[in-house]
């Protein structure tokens, strides 16, 4: 009685010394199951850590070291980092206190400045973005307004503040006016440049299809101009945050700029340094938020 043993193609019998040569050859030609590779242990990416975390930490450490060396020199009058840190702990222990209209915590001052920036920037966006589209679409308007923009854009922001005080008769609207007039130019210029750089083939297709002006704007211009527009918005927000600090130093009231000037009048240099860091951190957060917003609406990677 002969017994036949059938093997699965994945289970080839082992070729031993008792098999005939033909059987050994057939066994060798049979596909065998390959053993699954052993799972590798996850390796830590120290290169990414080195390039991402270490450089900023070293930069901050260098800044603190230079600050300490300058503060340690005789007659500088600048407080040391440890003294400023102690003052910062005291300032941020109650950032929203109120002891009168001109004595409020740093939190209220930052919120007041952000409110002025939001109003002035919002008005500039309502005017500047449509104006940029119109200037970019019309050769006549472009040649008409380009000399005016070139003339007014380099004017110092503080030069517009007296005009605002004269017209609006108040410090708060004058500061908002200064933010408006200084942050409108980046949005107008970048939007107009984006419209002018739309490929002519797109506009030719729109003419062939006899698209309305509204469809040209929504289907062609706006998606193509959006990266330029968002770049102008980022530049405008940065300009607005720079301007409001200088404007509040001159107009007074509540705001981070007024807080800096008030601390200088009280000869509290530690609070001035704290205000400098607060201004920088708020500006950094605004920039980071706009980068994230831009990355949601554009396919290209948006870099700082």
């Amino acid at each position: 009685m002969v017994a036949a043993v059938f093997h699965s193609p994945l289970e080839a019998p082992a070729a031993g010394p008792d098999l005939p040569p033909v059987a050994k050859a057939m066994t060798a030609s049979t596909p065998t199951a390959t053993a699954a590779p052993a799972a590798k242990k996850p390796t830590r990416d120290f290169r990414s850590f080195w390039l991402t975390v270490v450089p900023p930490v070293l930069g901050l450490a260098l800044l603190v070291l230079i600050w300490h060396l300058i503060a340690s020199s005789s007659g500088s009058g600048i407080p040391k980092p440890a003294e400023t840190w102690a003052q910062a702990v005291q300032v941020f222990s109650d950032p929203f206190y109120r002891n009168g209209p001109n004595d409020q915590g740093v939190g209220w001052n930052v919120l007041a400045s952000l409110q002025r920036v939001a109003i002035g920037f919002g008005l500039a966006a309502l005017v500047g973005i449509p104006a940029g589209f119109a200037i970019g679409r019309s050769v006549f308007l472009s040649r008409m307004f380009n000399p005016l923009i070139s003339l007014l854009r380099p004017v110092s922001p503080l030069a517009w503040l007296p005009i605002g005080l004269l017209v609006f008769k108040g410090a708060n609207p004058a500061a908002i006016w200064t933010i408006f007039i200084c942050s409108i130019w980046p949005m107008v210029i970048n939007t107009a440049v984006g419209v002018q750089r739309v490929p002519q083939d797109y506009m030719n297709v729109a003419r062939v299809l006899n698209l309305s002006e509204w469809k040209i704007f929504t289907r062609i211009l706006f998606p193509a101009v959006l990266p330029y527009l968002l770049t102008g918005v980022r530049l405008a927000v940065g300009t607005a945050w720079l301007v409001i600090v200088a404007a509040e130093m001159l107009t007074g009231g509540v705001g981070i700029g007024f807080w800096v000037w008030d601390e200088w009048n009280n000869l509290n240099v530690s609070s001035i340094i704290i205000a400098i860091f607060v201004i920088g951190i708020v500006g950094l957060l605004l920039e980071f938020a706009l980068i994230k917003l831009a990355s949601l609406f554009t396919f290209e990677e948006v870099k700082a």
Side-chain angles (χ1 to χ4, degrees):
M1 185 174 185
V2 180
V5 180
F6 298 94
H7 293 279
S8 169
L10 300 180
E11 297 179 357
D18 53 340
L19 294 176
V22 176
K24 289 183 179 181
M26 293 177 61
T27 302
S29 62
T30 305
T32 58
T34 56
K40 295 182 179 180
K41 295 182 179 180
T43 59
R44 296 180 180 179
D45 190 1
F46 290 102
R47 177 180 174 82
S48 177
F49 173 81
W50 176 262
L51 295 177
T52 305
V53 179
V54 175
V57 172
L58 290 179
L60 291 175
L62 180 61
L63 174 63
V64 173
L65 177 61
I66 295 174
W67 176 10
H68 179 77
L69 293 176
I70 296 175
S72 300
S73 62
S74 58
S76 64
I78 299 177
K80 296 181 180 179
E83 300 173 3
T84 305
W85 176 259
Q87 179 70 15
V89 171
Q90 181 180 354
V91 168
F92 289 103
S93 61
D94 188 12
F96 293 100
Y97 74 88
R98 288 183 186 270
N99 291 331
N102 294 327
D103 186 10
Q104 302 184 23
V106 63
W108 294 118
N109 287 282
V110 171
L111 290 178
S113 297
L114 288 175
Q115 182 181 11
R116 294 188 182 99
V117 168
I119 296 174
F121 171 79
L123 293 174
L126 289 177
V127 176
I129 293 176
F133 274 102
I135 293 172
R137 286 281 288 151
S138 172
V139 177
F140 179 82
L141 292 178
S142 177
R143 294 179 179 178
M144 176 180 175
F145 285 102
N146 279 342
L148 297 178
I149 295 174
S150 300
L151 175 66
L152 299 178
R153 184 176 61 87
V155 176
S156 173
L158 296 182
W160 295 103
L161 185 60
I163 304 298
L165 292 172
L166 177 64
V167 174
F168 299 105
K169 310 298 183 182
N172 191 54
I176 294 174
W177 151 257
T178 306
I179 294 170
F180 166 82
I181 198 64
C182 294
S183 58
I184 192 174
W185 309 125
M187 286 185 281
V188 172
I189 294 172
N190 281 273
T191 304
V193 170
V195 173
Q196 293 169 356
R197 291 189 177 181
V198 172
Q200 188 59 36
D201 293 342
Y202 295 176
M203 308 308 298
N204 294 336
V205 171
R207 292 193 190 97
V208 171
L209 297 177
N210 198 20
L211 296 180
S212 64
E213 192 67 24
W214 175 250
K215 286 188 176 181
I216 292 175
F217 174 77
T218 56
R219 302 290 180 86
I220 298 176
L221 291 181
F222 187 76
V225 176
L226 189 58
Y228 295 89
L229 190 153
L230 292 174
T231 300
V233 168
R234 289 174 56 194
L235 294 175
V237 167
T239 302
W241 186 242
L242 290 174
V243 169
I244 190 59
V245 175
E248 288 173 347
M249 286 185 178
L250 300 178
T251 57
V254 181
I256 190 64
F258 170 75
W259 191 63
V260 171
W261 192 250
D262 187 57
E263 294 300 324
W264 166 249
N265 292 329
N266 296 327
L267 298 179
N268 193 347
V269 183
S270 297
S271 294
I272 296 175
I273 297 176
I274 294 170
I276 290 173
F277 279 100
V278 170
I279 294 168
I281 291 172
V282 173
L284 183 64
L285 292 177
L286 290 175
E287 178 77 6
F288 179 77
L290 289 173
I291 290 175
K292 289 298 182 182
L293 179 63
S295 64
L296 294 177
F297 293 98
T298 56
F299 294 101
E300 299 175 358
E301 183 181 359
V302 180
K303 297 181 180 180

